[in-house]
Amino acid sequence: MIPPLTEGQQATLTCTAPGFCSGSPPKITWMWERKDEIDEINIPGSITASLKTENLSAVTQRHSSTLTFNPSAKHHKMNLTCLVSVSDNITTEETVTLNVTCEYITV
């Protein structure tokens, strides 16, 4: 689930690795699809991503990544994917289509 996105208002999206992990943390990658190309998100200025590890017990952990950015019209209808890689052959992903609304000021 993603929160409502409004142009110019900071938004934070979270991707959580499914299940509980022990050992090495998974690699969480954010990607977007635009013009039939898939690109790993470069983290310029207004876009930041961070990885969080929550200890649930002595051996299990939950891993998540948050993506914070200021939505704009260029993000509307963009597909955003979170890819979680636990090992070379174990991955899962989820894709959402962003819906960015514009706030108009009436005078």
Side-chain angles (χ1 to χ4, degrees):
M1 299 214 22
I2 59 173
L5 302 175
T6 302
E7 185 173 33
Q9 293 183 8
Q10 187 177 47
T12 300
L13 307 180
T14 302
C15 177
T16 302
F20 304 112
C21 304
S22 60
S24 300
K27 178 182 178 187
I28 300 177
T29 305
W30 293 92
M31 298 178 295
W32 80 83
E33 183 177 357
R34 183 173 46 185
K35 297 179 184 172
D36 300 322
E37 293 180 16
I38 296 178
D39 296 312
E40 208 173 291
I41 288 183
N42 296 323
I43 312 294
S46 64
I47 300 177
T48 60
S50 62
L51 183 63
K52 176 184 174 186
T53 299
E54 178 183 358
N55 290 317
L56 302 175
S57 72
V59 293
T60 60
Q61 299 173 325
R62 179 179 296 146
H63 302 279
S64 61
S65 176
T66 57
L67 180 70
T68 303
F69 69 110
N70 291 318
S72 70
K74 71 179 181 178
H75 296 111
H76 185 64
K77 299 289 184 186
M78 179 186 292
N79 290 332
L80 181 66
T81 300
C82 175
L83 175 68
V84 179
S85 302
V86 179
S87 67
D88 288 338
N89 59 351
I90 301 174
T91 62
T92 188
E93 66 182 61
E94 182 161 348
T95 301
V96 295
T97 301
L98 301 181
N99 183 16
V100 179
T101 58
C102 298
E103 278 195 6
Y104 296 101
I105 299 173
T106 56
V107 180

